[in-house]
Amino acid sequence: MSLGTGTALGPARLWHRPPAAADPRPPVLLVHGGYHGAWCWEYWVERLAADGREVAALDWRGHGGLPQPPDYLQTGALGFTEDVVAAIDALDRPPVVVGHSLGGLLAPLAATRRPTAGLVLVCPSPPGNMPGAAKVPLVPTTEAAPPLSAAVAGPRYCPHLTEAELAGRLCAESPAVLNDRYGLRVPVDPAAVRVPVLVVEGGRDDPERHPPGQDLAIAEFYGGAHIRLDDAPHNLMLGTGSDRWFDAIWARLDALLADAPVAGP
């Protein structure tokens, strides 16, 4: 599988697959979550490209094999949102921005600053000002949070994958961005997110970070739609079953986007 052509966006990187022919639909920008990189979207890139869509996938700074800059430990959600904004600016038209996990917090933050065509928030982190959002214990700030081993990450993220399929793919994470999420430190103004929003809930997600009802509450916070995939884990874009989950998500999103005007800040 190929993510396409990689281009530096300052300290970040954007992978791009242009459409084979002119396509009136908005491009799709895929934004990974903590510890991950653009690699986690390989299957979705292939599916979207095969459907004739323009698609791009972002590596945040310090992710996907990129060097971690000197201020990496202090880079929080607002800093990584700059990478998402740069990716939106690199595309010719406002995209549908798909954010997974922590990327599901960065995506609406970016949408308050740039025009987008819609948002898909997959197993998203909650905005800090959402009533009832669950906090998670903070991590130490003196060093990057080490990547989870495949033995730990597998049950948490993707129990449908073997350890060999996940081994070596995760990177050390900035403690600042983790604590921004865990401590609910980053608010989002829902009134500034003026596009269709689809929140995707994995029925087999980690209950500590995604307690029952939280993903539905995120959809209601943004005035968006919600879909629950009962058998889907946190990393529902990877491995066996991802074809069914992909089809369900994009059928619902395309229905939401039908005739919806492009809007933005």
Side-chain angles (χ1 to χ4, degrees):
M1 294 184 181
S2 171
L3 289 171
T5 301
T7 302
L9 293 178
R13 178 170 56 202
L14 188 68
W15 299 92
H16 184 244
R17 291 273 295 266
D23 183 12
R25 295 171 295 183
V28 177
L29 173 62
L30 303 168
V31 181
H32 65 80
Y35 300 101
H36 287 63
W39 58 265
C40 71
W41 297 111
E42 288 173 346
Y43 177 74
W44 278 35
V45 168
E46 289 293 332
R47 286 291 307 270
L48 291 164
D51 189 41
R53 297 180 190 247
E54 178 183 3
V55 57
L58 176 68
D59 280 317
W60 305 355
R61 65 190 73 183
H63 293 70
L66 293 174
Q68 295 182 345
D71 62 349
Y72 187 68
L73 299 188
Q74 293 78 43
T75 304
L78 297 181
F80 289 118
T81 298
E82 295 291 340
D83 298 338
V84 183
V85 169
I88 293 172
D89 288 345
L91 299 172
D92 291 336
R93 295 175 292 154
V96 171
V97 183
V98 181
H100 175 248
S101 195
L102 259 171
L105 176 60
L106 307 189
L109 281 170
T112 69
R113 297 178 51 190
R114 293 292 190 273
T116 60
L119 298 177
V120 183
L121 310 181
V122 181
C123 305
S125 295
N129 54 329
M130 187 186 82
K135 288 187 176 183
V136 179
L138 303 183
V139 300
T141 60
T142 54
E143 62 181 0
L148 295 149
S149 68
V152 173
R156 179 181 297 182
Y157 294 143
C158 39
H160 57 300
L161 298 184
T162 66
E163 288 188 25
E165 290 174 298
L166 190 61
R169 308 204 76 176
L170 301 176
C171 68
E173 189 52 81
S174 160
V177 74
L178 293 176
N179 289 338
D180 275 350
R181 182 273 176 259
Y182 293 163
L184 301 176
R185 296 171 176 172
V186 180
V188 181
D189 178 6
V193 181
R194 298 188 293 270
V195 293
V197 177
L198 176 62
V199 174
V200 181
E201 177 181 358
R204 297 174 64 196
D205 208 339
D206 172 16
E208 181 182 15
R209 291 160 181 80
H210 295 265
Q214 180 168 279
D215 290 340
L216 176 58
I218 293 173
E220 294 173 343
F221 179 84
Y222 291 121
H226 169 263
I227 182 173
R228 176 184 166 92
L229 304 173
D230 289 338
D231 62 340
H234 189 68
N235 279 16
L236 55 81
M237 62 284 197
L238 294 172
T240 303
S242 57
D243 51 352
R244 293 184 293 104
W245 304 325
F246 176 94
D247 291 340
I249 292 165
W250 285 92
R252 183 67 179 277
L253 178 68
D254 285 340
L256 288 175
L257 292 181
D259 300 322
V262 172

